[in-house]
Amino acid sequence: MVKTIVLRAPGTNCDAETVFAFEQAGSEVDLVHVNRIISHERKLADYQILVIPGGFTYGDDIAAGKVLANELRLKLGEDIRRFFEAGGLILGICNGFQVLVKAGFLPDPRSDGHLQVTLAANDSGKFECRWVNLAVNKESPCVFTNGMESMYVPVAHGEGKFVAAPEILPDINVVVRYTDEQGDAGAGYPHNPNGSVGNIAGICDSSGRIFALMPHPERHIRGTQHPQWTRLGAKQYGDGFPIFRNAVRWVQQS
Amino acid sequence: MHSLEVRLKGHLPDARGQGLVKDIQDLGIATVSDVRVVDIYWLDAELSPETLDMLGRNLLADPVTQIYSYRQGTPAGPVDESGYHTVEVAYNAGVTDPVEDSVLKAIRDLKVEGVNTVRTSKRYLIEGQLTDEQLEIICSRLLVNPIIQHVVEREQMSFPENPKYHFRLETVDILTSDRAVLQKQFGFTADEFQAIVDYYRKQGRNPTDVELETLAQTWSEHCVHKTFRGRFTLGGRVVDNLLKSTVMKATRELNRPWCLSVFVDNAGVIDFDGQWALCFKVETHNHPSAVEPYGGAATGIGGVIRDPLGTGLGAKPIANTDVFCFGPPDLPYDRLPQGVLHPRRMFKGVRSGVADYANRLGIPTLNGAVLFDERYVANPLVYCGTLGLLPVEIARLGKQKPGDKVVLIGGRTGRDGVHGVTFASEQLTEVSTATSSSSVQIGNPIVEKKMIDVLLQARDRGLYVRITDCGGGGLSSAVGEMAEETGVRVDLEKVPLKYAGLSYAEIWISESQERMILAVPPEQTGELLALFVGEDVEASVIGEFTDDRRLRLFYGGETVCDLEMEFLHGGIPQLRREAVWEPPHHPEPDFAEPSDLGESLLRILGSWNVCSKEWVVRQYDHEVQGSSVLKPLVGKHNDGPGDAAIIQPVPGSPKGVIIANGINPGYADVDPYWMAASVIDEALRQIIAVGGNLNRVALLDNFCWGDVNRPDMLGALIRTAQACYDMSVVYGTPFISGKDSLNNEFEHEGKTISIPHTLLVSAIGVMDDVSRAISMDFKKAGDFIYIAGSTRCELGGSEYLKTRGLVGNSVPKVEPQQSKNLMERLSTATGKGLVRACHDCSEGGIGVAVAEMAFAGGLGASISLKEVPLGEPIDRDDFILFSESNSRFIVEVSPDNKDRFEKEMAGCPLAMIGRVSSETRLEVHGRKGASVVSISIDELKEAWQKPLRW
């Protein structure tokens, strides 16, 4: 049985739907408070998939995800690196993306901790909840998006603008980009809801086993979550579901 | 003491600053070209330059986008702020800085010792030519609210020590001193004060200060709703206990078995599916929001979220609904009363306060409304509501035993909401531009979120037997009410404090947020406390329930309060008042019928009340929890105005909850009875429009009124409550809870301005299968457009007359039996899949409803007014198009289903009035066949979206 750990901290708020998504995908899932890992009551090593879900951890004070990133880097950095080196999968959604980047696990978990990418305030200056089209980069090594071409999922964030130093941008493993309905990645706001450089919505490390994105695939698991299902009819599964199924299958097959 | 400053790198655009540039332009100041915001962290510690540098590098600044600097110099070089106007703004003393806890935690995680306090401030760098006067306008209208903030005029911030509190028992001499003064000071009526004097005379002593405060809070309108329990006469008729004889009476007579807990707990509870129950509550936080929109509204939503949490043995909050009423956003500043914040600022502050709090808590905000009227300028209304989900077996009020512990959980206690006290630590800076006499709290959503997370685990482990929210009225209300049947003793020195110096009375009456009270059996106390500690949430045993039916409070072992519960809860004399009701008469509209109604339609679509609220909705997270089935914005481009929201709260179960609301204070200017009837009909229409039914619909009432000491105000209130009863019993939809906010009045230039009589009716309906839901957007060209329900010449209080500065007298009425019949038939038709789209016909009538359906669906429509079924003769096209008669729906039906649909609707007023078209225009033909509206849907949509495209 594949075992997934969904990590929770003060202000995590997408944990229940993330647990549901992994359960639907066939994993056993434990929702665990970060304190219980730090106190060694629970061990990351007992799991194959680690998820940092969405939310406003520690209120997103200072900057989104910063305080949890600081905590993970200082208190669980080694555990998480060992988990990764042992072949585990790591998924960060929304706040989880912000945390993974600010803790230095993305774009490269083996980097020296000098941060070169970040997620900054949306260009609009606003928190925005809207549905976006994503194009999946088929060249990406990401194991979570294997076989996927596009998806329609919601974003809900105030600090989701992907920013990277220009010199490292070509080396980033882009997994998903914001596009318009036709798949055009140059369509601008609101298709790119936050002003992300290169329309980047999600990235992975070079192994493809650490993946994080700003949009919420766990909010499009059922067909009736699609905002236009009353026009188009409801499919059995939502567009975000394959991400979770891919992760579970990858673990089952490896 | 250090300050560390963080700013964006010079070449990066400052989104916060750009927002301010726009706000400054809205003030009529066009010369500001850029604003940049610097975040400043003040650390009360002695730190080495290396440590400060490390904090800047690793914690406080983002290395990719930001630079930092600190007092001892800066690695990034000195920051040049010349050429800017600079304004630095900090919180006043006593206002809890919401960022402090997290920053301290992160600093501790970095193993930096010795930082005791963190405060933050913001420096605004404003670029452009400004006079001193303009800069002052920018400060006072945008940057600083003196209730919570001040301009830092010196660079040094100080962190004074709070003085220690030295216990001294205070008594109040009510037996011999001037009663009038004391009665006013504590807010009692003459009758109430007499009852108190009589009680203490029998006791042979004077009350302590905290006893009198407890009585004042327990007997306040806020806590005991004495107006709604009063005895009134209206037109020779006696109304004894308004609430029990109207709203609650309907519920009692309907006696629905699925009503599990009504009017007794913090929220009303209904059965959802036999296994789960739903609880629902809407409250207002009007006055705090008027004074400090962001903090007032945030603590408003924070407070109502604790209502479901404090219902039964605790419900998980699963959805929010928010309704706001403001003055018009374009109100000229010269019409703004002195000391009142501009409606635009109130709107922006309230919106962000609610969104920031609810988004952080991860509760989707799915439903709401925003209304505007100049009478709300000084008294905005902020209704916040929360829906909760809990197992049915714990849906009813808990019960404690003598010996159970009183456990206070969540946030710490400060002077929040304690009025008339001055802060020992008032001086945040040596030169403070403002002093606050009471503390307004901003709210700390993460404290509440942590508390909810751990509380629901404690609930599922069965570690407590009763719970209540600690909100308005503080411990006094929460503990005082919980212990009514048993008695209680509380040791006030055991309450954890935010800072030293609080007296026992301040501790008892403080309204600090994010706190709740549990009754915990002694044998479970240890496990409960350990669970809370494990997630860094404070939980403290502060007392014990007893069997003496007394409220006894101690401070350091000394008795400071000893009151009989019977007097505390039963001693308040019933309010007695005379009420009158005289229907007002407004001039009848006598303008000529315009030949082109397109212009009128565009004006209504662009009116503040009707226009798109997407700017608000998008900034709420309405997708969190992944439960939404029908979202607040629907249609081809996800931007049409949905009627009601639907969520699927239990994953894996097809059952849904529909959330709707009705509000229309404009009708109350004609007759509050029909206003109430209309808003109930409207809430129910929305439920029907999305595919629901009336089988299991529960209502909440929320009255916001002017000064009910005036007989005419009271008369209007009684009429409104009567309508609630009359409608509720016919529709079969019981009220399960409610709330009121009275005395919303303001003195301006010698005149008293009362808010319009405002009743919000919020409704939840259970839907068996969410896959039957429909949305309001037109789906397919060629489909038939029907109107169900008859149209009368009812334009009193309508949006159409409002756009012409008129009120009129022919307010929309409701025939509830006919309306119910139509709703049931339409619901059946929808359940059979015969309806492709359906929209509630409300503000702006047929014209607005059809226009919205068209542009939401990206399709055109052609309709004829000749076909509209009339309930009385109407000889004007404009009146047919814009009448706001209740109980009407616009329905899209595919040609294939025409016959079956018409058969289902047999006996109801129904007519096919046109077709959906692929030509993207709205065409309306008048009674005589002439074109009265011909406008592209793009133009209609633009008119509707433009006003609030902020």
Side-chain angles (χ1 to χ4, degrees):
Chain A
M1 189 71 173
V2 178
K3 287 189 77 176
T4 300
I5 177 169
V6 176
L7 205 58
R8 153 174 98 76
T12 299
N13 66 24
C14 304
D15 42 326
E17 52 271 44
T18 306
V19 168
F20 178 75
F22 273 102
E23 283 174 351
Q24 291 293 297
S27 175
E28 206 173 285
V29 190
D30 286 337
L31 177 61
V32 179
H33 195 283
V34 65
N35 285 1
R36 304 204 195 282
I37 307 285
I38 293 172
S39 68
H40 305 294
E41 279 172 70
R42 300 285 190 93
K43 291 201 295 286
L44 290 183
D46 294 338
Y47 301 89
Q48 295 92 41
I49 304 172
L50 164 66
V51 191
I52 305 176
F56 289 82
T57 46
Y58 298 102
D60 277 358
D61 295 338
I62 304 175
K66 187 74 183 186
V67 178
L68 181 59
N70 190 60
E71 184 173 28
L72 292 189
R73 184 172 66 85
L74 295 164
K75 297 187 172 172
L76 291 178
E78 274 316 301
D79 299 61
I80 293 172
R81 264 188 198 92
R82 264 201 303 276
F83 174 84
F84 171 69
E85 298 296 351
L89 298 187
I90 301 177
L91 175 63
I93 301 171
C94 194
N95 198 237
F97 188 7
Q98 294 158 339
V99 169
L100 286 173
V101 160
K102 291 173 188 182
F105 296 110
L106 275 175
D108 177 8
R110 299 180 180 105
S111 73
D112 60 357
H114 178 65
L115 305 187
Q116 289 182 300
V117 308
T118 194
L119 291 147
N122 295 352
D123 276 354
S124 69
K126 292 189 281 232
F127 177 98
E128 291 195 43
C129 179
R130 61 168 75 244
W131 284 68
V132 294
N133 290 283
L134 300 179
V136 177
N137 174 12
K138 283 186 226 152
E139 310 298 314
S140 158
C142 181
V143 304
F144 293 85
T145 53
N146 192 20
M148 297 174 70
E149 289 184 356
S150 64
M151 61 184 134
Y152 189 51
V153 284
V155 291
H157 60 246
E159 297 179 37
K161 178 184 178 174
F162 184 84
V163 183
E167 62 275 15
I168 72 146
L169 203 53
D171 300 328
I172 304 255
N173 286 292
V174 178
V175 181
V176 278
R177 289 183 203 272
Y178 301 109
T179 70
D180 65 9
E181 294 87 345
Q182 281 75 43
D184 179 358
Y189 180 84
H191 305 286
N192 174 344
N194 46 38
S196 285
V197 172
N199 300 296
I200 293 172
I203 64 173
C204 66
D205 76 314
S206 59
S207 76
R209 288 188 289 113
I210 307 181
F211 171 45
L213 73 173
M214 285 313 298
H216 288 274
E218 83 284 12
R219 297 184 185 181
H220 195 189
I221 300 299
R222 300 189 296 261
T224 53
Q225 288 168 324
H226 192 296
Q228 290 163 35
W229 74 269
T230 55
R231 297 178 69 78
L232 309 170
K235 291 188 278 191
Q236 187 186 359
Y237 290 111
D239 286 3
F241 186 59
I243 287 188
F244 304 95
R245 201 178 46 201
N246 280 338
V248 173
R249 279 188 189 159
W250 189 87
V251 173
Q252 283 163 343
Q253 285 160 10
S254 60
Chain B
M1 165 82 66
H2 304 282
S3 72
L4 209 150
E5 303 190 352
V6 178
R7 67 193 72 213
L8 280 169
K9 288 180 179 171
H11 63 285
L12 293 172
D14 186 330
R16 274 187 298 179
Q18 286 308 308
L20 278 168
V21 169
K22 215 161 151 257
D23 289 340
I24 291 169
Q25 283 165 357
D26 289 341
L27 292 175
I29 299 170
T31 48
V32 170
S33 54
D34 193 19
V35 176
R36 300 189 73 83
V37 187
V38 182
D39 289 302
I40 303 161
Y41 298 88
W42 299 83
L43 309 177
D44 182 19
E46 289 305 320
L47 302 174
S48 67
E50 293 74 28
T51 304
L52 275 175
D53 193 57
M54 187 277 287
L55 287 177
R57 191 175 61 244
N58 287 346
L59 183 67
L60 298 174
D62 186 304
V64 182
T65 55
Q66 295 173 324
I67 54 169
Y68 59 93
S69 55
Y70 48 89
R71 234 7 115 212
Q72 284 94 334
T74 157
V79 179
D80 184 11
E81 291 179 355
S82 62
Y84 289 103
H85 302 274
T86 62
V87 180
E88 185 171 332
V89 179
Y91 289 119
N92 296 340
V95 177
T96 309
D97 195 319
V99 172
E100 179 174 21
D101 284 350
S102 319
V103 179
L104 282 174
K105 181 219 158 32
I107 290 175
R108 280 195 307 271
D109 285 348
L110 283 162
K111 299 206 159 49
V112 173
E113 304 293 331
V115 181
N116 307 313
T117 314
V118 174
R119 306 284 284 172
T120 59
S121 60
K122 284 186 171 53
R123 190 182 309 124
Y124 300 93
L125 310 181
I126 306 169
E127 189 178 350
Q129 283 289 325
L130 288 176
T131 62
D132 288 351
E133 193 190 358
Q134 285 174 319
L135 190 61
E136 168 52 30
I137 286 174
I138 292 170
C139 280
S140 64
R141 291 187 185 166
L142 293 176
L143 304 181
V144 185
N145 182 350
I147 295 291
I148 55 158
Q149 294 161 316
H150 62 275
V151 172
V152 179
E153 299 201 348
R154 288 230 197 136
E155 291 188 341
Q156 187 68 14
M157 215 185 258
S158 61
F159 295 89
E161 286 274 314
N162 276 292
K164 285 223 161 27
Y165 168 68
H166 297 286
F167 174 75
R168 214 188 83 186
L169 183 66
E170 302 284 345
T171 55
V172 183
D173 180 8
I174 61 167
L175 299 180
T176 60
S177 67
D178 186 350
R179 286 186 190 183
V181 175
L182 285 170
Q183 180 196 319
K184 198 162 170 236
Q185 185 190 332
F186 286 90
F188 293 113
T189 67
D191 285 355
E192 288 163 3
F193 202 70
Q194 187 59 50
I196 293 169
V197 170
D198 292 347
Y199 175 79
Y200 280 99
R201 190 158 282 144
K202 261 187 257 165
Q203 306 290 314
R205 65 175 177 99
N206 271 308
T208 67
D209 57 346
V210 76
E211 285 175 337
L212 216 46
E213 294 275 13
T214 303
L215 285 163
Q217 261 182 356
T218 310
W219 292 7
S220 69
E221 187 67 74
H222 179 82
C223 292
V224 77
H225 307 287
K226 51 196 169 195
T227 298
F228 271 86
R229 290 168 202 276
R231 183 185 171 88
F232 310 125
T233 53
L234 175 63
R237 206 179 118 230
V238 176
V239 179
D240 188 8
N241 195 322
L242 181 58
L243 190 65
K244 279 193 178 158
S245 62
T246 58
V247 173
M248 283 169 74
K249 186 177 167 204
T251 306
R252 198 170 60 242
E253 288 177 7
L254 287 169
N255 194 25
R256 293 287 190 259
W258 44 265
C259 284
L260 300 180
S261 173
V262 291
F263 295 103
V264 292
D265 209 335
N266 285 316
V269 191
I270 65 167
D271 188 351
F272 176 57
D273 62 0
Q275 189 183 355
W276 295 95
L278 296 166
C279 66
F280 194 27
K281 183 61 171 276
V282 177
E283 289 207 327
T284 55
H285 222 223
N286 302 334
H287 183 67
S289 304
V291 178
E292 208 301 276
Y294 182 89
T299 49
I301 186 73
V304 80
I305 289 166
R306 291 192 303 275
D307 277 327
L309 209 57
T311 296
L313 289 185
K316 180 188 176 188
I318 56 169
N320 287 336
T321 168
D322 301 307
V323 174
F324 309 141
C325 303
F326 300 111
D330 52 356
L331 184 81
Y333 275 89
D334 58 18
R335 298 252 291 271
L336 190 66
Q338 183 77 30
V340 171
L341 300 176
H342 191 271
R344 184 184 283 258
R345 184 172 178 189
M346 278 200 201
F347 186 8
K348 288 190 169 187
V350 165
R351 187 217 59 71
S352 55
V354 169
D356 281 357
Y357 206 102
N359 289 352
R360 275 169 176 68
L361 259 59
I363 303 165
T365 302
L366 285 147
N367 174 269
V370 191
L371 292 97
F372 302 93
D373 187 297
E374 195 163 336
R375 290 167 288 176
Y376 293 121
V377 164
N379 290 106
L381 303 184
V382 176
Y383 293 97
C384 295
T386 301
L387 179 69
L389 185 74
L390 75 170
V392 283
E393 59 270 22
I394 57 161
R396 291 179 180 86
L397 200 61
K399 201 170 176 161
Q400 76 278 14
K401 286 198 194 70
D404 287 350
K405 302 294 178 192
V406 181
V407 178
L408 171 63
I409 60 167
R412 293 192 157 208
T413 300
R415 287 202 175 86
D416 312 294
V418 178
H419 291 273
V421 292
T422 42
F423 259 87
S425 54
E426 194 72 69
Q427 295 297 318
L428 187 61
T429 63
E430 287 170 81
V431 186
S432 185
T433 55
T435 54
S436 68
S437 61
S438 83
S439 167
V440 174
Q441 207 177 353
I442 302 174
N444 192 333
I446 296 308
V447 172
E448 183 142 315
K449 175 66 173 144
K450 285 198 295 190
M451 178 174 73
I452 295 173
D453 288 349
V454 70
L455 183 66
L456 293 177
Q457 296 173 62
R459 177 196 77 176
D460 293 341
R461 289 201 211 167
L463 296 180
Y464 57 89
V465 294
R466 190 163 174 182
I467 181 169
T468 199
D469 158 35
C470 201
L475 289 172
S476 169
S477 286
V479 179
E481 281 175 29
M482 205 188 223
E484 183 180 350
E485 305 300 323
T486 51
V488 71
R489 56 161 295 154
V490 175
D491 297 305
L492 291 168
E493 76 280 1
K494 291 186 178 160
V495 174
L497 303 179
K498 290 182 181 179
Y499 33 76
L502 270 71
S503 73
Y504 60 87
E506 289 172 335
I507 294 169
W508 183 242
I509 63 169
S510 158
E511 299 190 346
S512 286
Q513 298 289 312
E514 289 108 17
R515 301 180 301 162
M516 298 192 79
I517 292 287
L518 304 177
V520 183
E523 64 277 14
Q524 282 164 332
T525 311
E527 186 180 347
L528 180 113
L529 297 181
L531 179 66
F532 277 71
V533 168
E535 300 203 1
D536 305 326
V537 180
E538 282 199 89
S540 315
V541 176
I542 61 166
E544 190 175 298
F545 293 97
T546 58
D547 60 1
D548 59 4
R549 300 211 60 212
R550 300 185 82 85
L551 174 68
R552 288 186 299 146
L553 305 179
F554 300 86
Y555 189 87
E558 303 264 1
T559 301
V560 296
C561 167
D562 187 356
L563 267 172
E564 288 165 282
M565 287 293 181
E566 195 176 332
F567 179 66
L568 179 60
H569 293 289
I572 182 171
Q574 190 180 30
L575 202 68
R576 285 163 186 263
R577 293 256 192 279
E578 297 284 325
V580 295
W581 168 249
E582 289 283 342
H585 285 287
H586 303 283
E588 280 300 329
D590 66 347
F591 57 92
E593 178 178 357
S595 58
D596 177 10
L597 300 182
E599 192 55 40
S600 305
L601 177 59
L602 290 170
R603 272 172 70 184
I604 298 173
L605 284 169
S607 67
W608 290 117
N609 281 345
V610 174
C611 75
S612 170
K613 307 300 184 299
E614 182 170 348
W615 175 78
V616 184
V617 177
R618 285 245 176 272
Q619 296 185 72
Y620 293 132
D621 190 344
H622 46 268
E623 299 286 0
V624 65
Q625 298 193 12
S627 55
S628 73
V629 172
L630 208 57
K631 304 167 199 298
L633 296 167
V634 299
K636 190 179 180 188
H637 300 288
N638 304 336
D639 57 6
D643 284 300
I646 306 179
I647 58 168
Q648 197 176 346
V650 181
S653 158
K655 275 193 175 241
V657 190
I658 307 172
I659 308 159
N661 72 76
I663 182 167
N664 199 323
Y667 297 163
D669 290 334
V670 184
D671 189 337
Y673 182 92
W674 292 115
M675 176 275 284
S678 296
V679 302
I680 292 169
D681 193 73
E682 183 188 11
L684 300 178
R685 287 199 306 270
Q686 291 176 3
I687 286 180
I688 298 301
V690 297
N693 59 59
L694 297 180
N695 298 344
R696 193 171 290 197
V697 172
L699 306 178
L700 302 180
D701 63 84
N702 250 285
F703 292 82
C704 286
W705 234 249
D707 180 4
V708 287
N709 290 317
R710 284 175 23 207
D712 57 328
M713 281 286 168
L714 190 57
L717 186 74
I718 294 169
R719 273 184 76 74
T720 308
Q722 186 60 46
C724 289
Y725 169 80
D726 293 348
M727 297 299 132
S728 172
V729 288
V730 178
Y731 284 113
T733 53
F735 285 90
I736 57 168
S737 187
K739 196 82 186 177
D740 55 87
S741 163
L742 309 177
N743 307 319
N744 291 286
E745 293 199 343
F746 189 75
E747 296 288 331
H748 181 47
E749 291 173 353
K751 281 201 321 205
T752 301
I753 302 164
S754 288
I755 60 162
H757 310 311
T758 311
L759 171 69
L760 169 67
V761 169
S762 311
I764 48 171
V766 175
M767 189 174 191
D768 285 332
D769 180 1
V770 294
S771 72
R772 287 284 162 214
I774 51 171
S775 55
M776 51 70 73
D777 45 308
F778 281 143
K779 308 290 188 308
K780 198 168 176 211
D783 279 357
F784 296 133
I785 302 170
Y786 283 85
I787 182 166
S790 61
T791 301
R792 288 177 294 272
C793 193
E794 293 178 321
L795 289 110
S798 69
E799 290 300 322
Y800 182 52
L801 293 194
K802 272 185 210 161
T803 60
R804 290 171 174 272
L806 295 163
V807 176
N809 298 296
S810 56
V811 69
K813 297 189 172 62
V814 178
E815 213 314 333
Q817 192 58 57
Q818 283 173 21
S819 178
K820 185 189 184 197
N821 181 43
L822 185 138
M823 288 183 188
E824 285 175 340
R825 282 173 173 271
L826 182 55
S827 169
T828 305
T830 308
K832 291 184 175 173
L834 303 176
V835 173
R836 197 111 78 174
C838 182
H839 196 20
D840 156 34
C841 205
S842 55
E843 288 92 340
I846 297 170
V848 165
V850 175
E852 287 176 343
M853 294 173 85
F855 61 65
L859 290 164
S862 174
I863 61 166
S864 165
L865 299 181
K866 195 167 65 185
E867 312 301 333
V868 173
L870 303 181
E872 63 192 358
I874 309 179
D875 58 4
R876 286 175 61 150
D877 287 332
D878 57 343
F879 288 178
I880 298 176
L881 190 62
F882 300 127
S883 162
E884 297 185 5
S885 288
N886 285 301
S887 318
R888 295 181 305 159
F889 301 85
I890 307 292
V891 186
E892 178 187 3
V893 176
S894 106
D896 300 343
N897 290 324
K898 175 178 185 294
D899 293 344
R900 286 179 65 203
F901 175 71
E902 289 179 2
K903 204 172 139 208
E904 286 296 339
M905 297 298 291
C908 296
L910 179 83
M912 191 209 296
I913 56 171
R915 297 187 84 149
V916 180
S917 77
S918 55
E919 207 163 312
T920 52
R921 294 184 75 76
L922 174 64
E923 305 281 355
V924 181
H925 299 279
R927 289 162 302 134
K928 296 185 179 118
S931 166
V932 291
V933 176
S934 175
I935 307 179
S936 79
I937 60 168
D938 291 343
E939 193 182 341
L940 292 166
K941 189 170 175 177
E942 174 62 20
W944 180 72
Q945 289 187 327
K946 193 166 174 246
L948 278 179
R949 196 182 279 140
W950 286 357

